[in-house]
């Protein structure tokens, strides 16, 4: 399989190439940190793993590879910072470039998920839960990765449910 074959146009096509029993890794790529989350093997629930300090990809990729190995990751969902009007920003293009480089290093299939307002939604939930500013800062990126991955998982489940009802 060539690297371009590992880049999926949506999460449904990613799931189609995901080996059975493997999990998805959710990534929220920030300018200073990388939030990580993992799905369960049934692709229904996302859970936070950790937040990495963002560095050069060559430094972060061994950490991500170790996490992928430890958690039996078969695919990656990367949050795509699309502008509110739906256009692709310079930051979104940089995210794509980073993800494509990650694929070349890890050789794991990826798909992108629209992450508009994910950090805002997570921060509002954390404030509502009365988490201190310090705790929010420590957990926001892995929580945002969880939010992104859960959105993708919910979409996958919705599609699976729709297909099941269409077959009846």
């Amino acid at each position: 399989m060539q690297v371009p074959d590992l880049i999926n146009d949506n999460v449904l096509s990613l799931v189609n190439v995901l080996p059975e029993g493997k999990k998805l890794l959710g990534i929220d790529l920030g300018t200073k940190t990388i939030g990580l989350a993992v799905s369960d093997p049934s692709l229904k629930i996302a859970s936070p793993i950790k937040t990495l300090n963002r560095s050069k990809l060559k430094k972060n990729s061994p950490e991500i590879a170790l996490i992928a190995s430890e958690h039996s990751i078969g695919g990656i969902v990367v949050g795509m910072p699309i502008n509110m009007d739906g256009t692709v920003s310079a930051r979104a293009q940089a995210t794509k470039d980073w993800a494509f480089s990650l694929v070349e290093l890890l050789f794991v299939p990826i798909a992108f998920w629209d992450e508009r307002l994910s950090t805002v939604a997570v921060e509002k939930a954390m404030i509502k839960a009365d988490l201190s500013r310090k705790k929010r800062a420590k957990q926001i990126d892995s929580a945002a990765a969880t939010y992104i991955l859960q959105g993708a998982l919910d979409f996958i489940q919705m599609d699976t449910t729709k297909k099941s009802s269409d077959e009846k």
Side-chain angles (χ1 to χ4, degrees):
M1 193 177 278
Q2 301 291 327
V3 169
D5 297 334
L6 296 171
I7 299 162
N8 295 272
D9 57 354
N10 63 57
V11 294
L12 297 177
S13 58
L14 173 62
V15 171
N16 289 333
V17 298
L18 188 68
E20 191 171 332
K22 293 289 187 175
K23 302 173 189 173
L24 291 174
L25 178 69
I27 297 180
D28 178 40
L29 184 65
T31 55
K32 296 179 182 174
T33 59
I34 303 169
L36 301 172
V38 66
S39 74
D40 65 320
S42 65
L43 306 179
K44 292 184 178 163
I45 300 170
S47 302
I49 300 176
K50 68 186 299 183
T51 299
L52 304 176
N53 289 322
R54 185 167 174 193
S55 185
K56 298 278 184 195
L57 182 57
K58 288 199 185 258
K59 184 172 188 278
N60 287 135
S61 62
E63 295 173 280
I64 296 170
L66 179 63
I67 288 166
S69 174
E70 290 174 344
H71 290 275
S72 192
I73 299 300
I76 300 173
V77 176
V78 179
M80 180 57 64
I82 298 170
N83 289 329
M84 291 305 291
D85 65 2
T87 59
V88 177
S89 65
R91 185 163 171 248
Q93 186 57 52
T95 298
K96 271 187 171 181
D97 294 343
W98 182 91
F100 292 167
S101 295
L102 182 66
V103 168
E104 290 175 352
L105 294 170
L106 300 184
F107 216 68
V108 174
I110 66 161
F112 297 98
W113 186 256
D114 184 348
E115 71 162 34
R116 281 181 273 191
L117 299 178
S118 60
T119 303
V120 172
V122 168
E123 187 163 32
K124 282 183 180 180
M126 289 178 154
I127 289 169
K128 191 173 182 178
D130 205 26
L131 282 176
S132 70
R133 186 180 304 259
K134 186 177 180 180
K135 283 185 180 177
R136 286 195 317 263
K138 190 175 182 182
Q139 299 173 4
I140 191 84
D141 296 303
S142 63
T146 305
Y147 185 88
I148 290 164
L149 182 57
Q150 189 63 56
L153 295 175
D154 291 347
F155 182 76
I156 292 163
Q157 290 304 312
M158 190 171 57
D159 183 71
T160 304
T161 304
K162 183 182 179 300
K163 282 182 182 172
S164 295
S165 67
D166 287 348
E167 292 172 359
K168 291 180 181 175

